[in-house]
């Protein structure tokens, strides 16, 4: 089994806020780290009683560094403060300086377009600022106008604030919005506005321009910002966002109200989110597709297949034809009205695994851990001719 992991040593563990800690990781083998693009994420192998889980965290430091990475992680908590995030609690409570952890290479297509010269809006909520800080490191070396807008509860949970201010150039405008600032925040004038980022706030602080937007944060925040930005004239093609789920998912969700139940009204694709600091990831240009053939005991019924490239979803009694503009079998299934299980869409979590009844597929991005023989991860595969899937 090929996993693509390397051992990294925790060189530093730095508290960034009451709930957020940074981990500085250096490769044990002493070799340069894998190349990362500003905005991409690392996948960490988290040990459990039953084996391990795979959790992903954005690179929050300068992606140009070759000696190591930094990830900045929020400690998740459940009801009454009980631990909820397995990966984040393990990192916060168990992992110490000097410990070694297994890390996979950076992934994700949510990263800064360095060929563009357009002005940039980096718009984040909560711990969603981590990939934005990595982008800001790179943008400070350019002459692009940058608007760094960040919303959070208050100063006690605002991570990397001083670093962001230190990275700002004459072409950078930083704006912090606190929902519930403390008396200390008020006295220190640590924020630029109180409440929420809304239409009036954006109109007041953003001049009309041809922006590219990078968006990350809690699901209701992203849904609201996605619709608001379009109302202000920014086309959806210029709004890149980061969470588990395909790029079109936000189009299916109405703007939420500011209530605790807002996220519950999201479409199934958004309800499947497990943590929002992971990007939607597809194949990188330098990866070679790997074929996977079906294994089965009985001859399958392929009568529903009518042409090369057709895909049959047997349990759903549906079929679809593969064509241009479709990135994966998962996306093809969704376009056909099927709602398969998924979480990461990157070949990491294994939630989309299903049996390949007949035909052959190829991986466009190698999974970190391969499924058993005869099974495939539909989030990162495409058909090599007619196939039948057991979904």
């Amino acid at each position: 089994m090929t996993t693509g992991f390397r051992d990294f040593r925790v060189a530093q563990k730095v508290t960034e806020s009451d709930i957020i800690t940074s981990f500085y990781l250096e490769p044990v083998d002493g070799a340069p780290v894998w190349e990362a693009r500003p905005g991409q994420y690392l996948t960490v192998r988290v040990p459990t009683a039953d084996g391990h889980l795979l959790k992903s965290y954005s690179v929050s430091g300068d992606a140009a560094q070759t000696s190591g990475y930094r990830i900045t992680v929020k400690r998740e908590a459940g009801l009454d403060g009980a631990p909820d995030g397995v990966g984040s609690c393990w990192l916060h409570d168990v992992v110490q300086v000097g410990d070694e952890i297994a890390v996979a290479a950076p992934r994700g297509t949510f990263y800064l377009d360095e060929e563009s010269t357009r002005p940039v809006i980096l718009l984040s909520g909560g711990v969603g600022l981590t990939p934005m800080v990595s982008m800001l490191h790179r943008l400070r070396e350019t002459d692009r106008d940058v608007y760094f807008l960040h919303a959070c509860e208050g100063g006690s949970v605002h991570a990397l604030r001083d670093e962001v201010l230190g990275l700002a150039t004459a072409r950078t405008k930083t704006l912090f919005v606190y929902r519930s600032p403390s008396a200390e925040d008020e006295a220190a004038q640590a924020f630029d506005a109180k409440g929420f980022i809304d239409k009036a706030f954006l109109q007041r602080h953003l001049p009309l321009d041809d922006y590219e937007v990078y968006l990350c944060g809690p699901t209701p925040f992203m849904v609201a910002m996605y619709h608001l930005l379009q109302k202000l004239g920014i086309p959806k093609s210029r709004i890149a966002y980061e969470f588990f789920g395909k790029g079109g998912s936000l189009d299916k969700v109405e703007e939420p109200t500011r209530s605790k139940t807002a996220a519950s009204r999201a479409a199934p694709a958004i309800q499947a989110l497990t943590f929002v600091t992971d990007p939607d990831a597809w194949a990188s240009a330098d990866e070679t597709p790997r074929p996977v053939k079906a294994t089965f005991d009985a001859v399958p019924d392929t009568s529903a297949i009518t042409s090369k490239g057709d895909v049959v979803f047997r349990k759903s009694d549906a079929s679809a034809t593969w064509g241009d503009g479709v990135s994966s079998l998962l996306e093809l299934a969704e376009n056909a009205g099927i709602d398969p299980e998924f979480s990461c869409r990157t070949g990491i979590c294994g939630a989309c695994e299903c049996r390949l009844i007949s035909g052959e597929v190829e991986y466009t991005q190698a999974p970190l851990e391969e499924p058993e023989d005869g099974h495939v991860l539909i989030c990162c595969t495409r058909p090599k001719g007619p196939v039948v899937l057991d979904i």
Side-chain angles (χ1 to χ4, degrees):
M1 179 182 297
T2 301
T3 61
F5 282 85
R6 288 168 64 185
D7 290 331
F8 279 70
R9 182 178 296 107
V10 178
Q12 296 182 67
K13 185 175 177 180
V14 178
T15 300
E16 305 288 3
S17 78
D18 287 355
I19 57 174
I20 297 174
T21 296
S22 287
F23 299 81
Y24 291 76
L25 310 175
E26 297 179 351
V28 173
D29 59 18
V33 298
W34 297 291
E35 180 182 355
R37 292 178 172 179
Q40 289 188 310
Y41 63 89
L42 304 177
T43 301
V44 176
R45 184 185 284 153
V46 179
T48 66
D50 300 323
H52 65 264
L53 296 174
L54 301 178
K55 297 294 184 180
S56 299
Y57 305 98
S58 296
V59 174
S60 63
D62 186 354
Q65 289 288 332
T66 60
S67 59
Y69 302 114
R70 183 183 71 183
I71 57 174
T72 302
V73 181
K74 176 186 175 183
R75 188 183 192 279
E76 301 292 347
L79 295 176
D80 299 322
D84 187 40
V86 174
S88 67
C89 290
W90 173 71
L91 285 167
H92 278 249
D93 302 338
V94 178
V95 172
Q96 302 298 326
V97 173
D99 288 351
E100 296 180 7
I101 62 177
V103 177
R107 291 190 176 209
T109 56
F110 178 83
Y111 53 78
L112 180 68
D113 180 0
E114 298 185 56
E115 300 298 322
S116 175
T117 58
R118 292 188 182 93
V120 177
I121 298 174
L122 302 177
L123 178 55
S124 60
V127 77
L129 90 165
T130 55
M132 308 305 184
V133 176
S134 181
M135 293 182 190
L136 189 60
H137 273 275
R138 187 64 53 87
L139 285 164
R140 74 189 303 266
E141 302 172 2
T142 73
D143 59 0
R144 297 171 72 176
D145 290 335
V146 180
Y147 294 83
F148 192 103
L149 280 58
H150 179 63
C152 63
E153 286 295 298
S156 65
V157 295
H158 187 177
L160 307 175
R161 180 182 185 278
D162 291 342
E163 181 172 337
V164 168
L165 293 175
L167 290 170
T169 69
R171 303 186 73 95
T172 305
K173 185 172 185 177
T174 60
L175 293 167
F176 304 136
V177 179
Y178 287 0
R179 191 180 76 86
S180 302
S182 66
E184 291 78 6
D185 296 332
E186 299 272 7
Q189 298 182 326
F191 57 95
D192 300 284
K194 181 179 179 179
F196 300 91
I197 294 177
D198 56 17
K199 184 176 181 180
F201 177 85
L202 293 179
Q203 288 178 321
R204 184 164 63 251
H205 293 286
L206 297 178
L208 293 176
D209 212 332
D210 187 22
Y211 295 106
E212 288 179 355
V213 181
Y214 296 87
L215 170 64
C216 186
T219 304
F221 171 83
M222 288 196 296
V223 172
M225 293 301 101
Y226 183 71
H227 290 284
L228 175 56
L229 289 165
Q230 291 179 68
K231 290 179 181 179
L232 293 176
I234 299 176
K236 65 180 66 176
S237 61
R238 298 274 174 81
I239 306 172
Y241 54 90
E242 177 188 52
F243 64 70
F244 282 168
K246 68 181 181 181
S249 296
L250 289 183
D251 289 320
K252 302 177 182 179
V253 187
E254 295 181 358
E255 294 179 70
T257 58
R258 295 189 182 108
S259 70
K260 294 182 179 179
T261 60
S264 67
R265 295 193 296 274
I270 286 184
Q271 290 178 0
L273 302 180
T274 54
F275 45 95
V276 300
T277 58
D278 291 344
D280 197 15
W282 304 106
S284 60
D286 57 355
E287 291 194 35
T288 302
R290 180 180 58 77
V292 178
K293 295 183 179 180
T295 60
F296 46 84
D297 299 324
V299 177
D301 178 12
T302 60
S303 59
I305 297 179
T306 59
S307 65
K308 178 179 175 62
D310 276 1
V311 177
V312 172
F313 306 103
R314 191 177 69 170
K315 287 183 179 179
S316 303
D317 192 25
S319 63
T321 299
W322 183 265
D324 293 338
V326 182
S327 301
S328 68
L329 284 166
L330 173 58
E331 186 175 348
L332 186 69
E334 291 172 330
N335 291 345
I338 302 168
D339 186 26
E341 290 188 15
F342 75 91
S343 184
C344 74
R345 308 183 78 97
T346 68
I348 293 175
C349 70
C352 68
E353 179 180 340
C354 73
R355 190 160 67 99
L356 177 61
I357 299 174
S358 72
E360 185 176 0
V361 303
E362 63 184 9
Y363 281 109
T364 56
Q365 176 167 305
L368 287 186
E369 296 185 340
E370 297 186 21
E372 62 180 286
D373 289 345
H375 288 68
V376 297
L377 303 182
I378 60 173
C379 73
C380 53
T381 50
R382 61 190 177 205
K384 296 186 68 177
V387 299
V388 180
L389 297 170
D390 197 25
I391 57 175

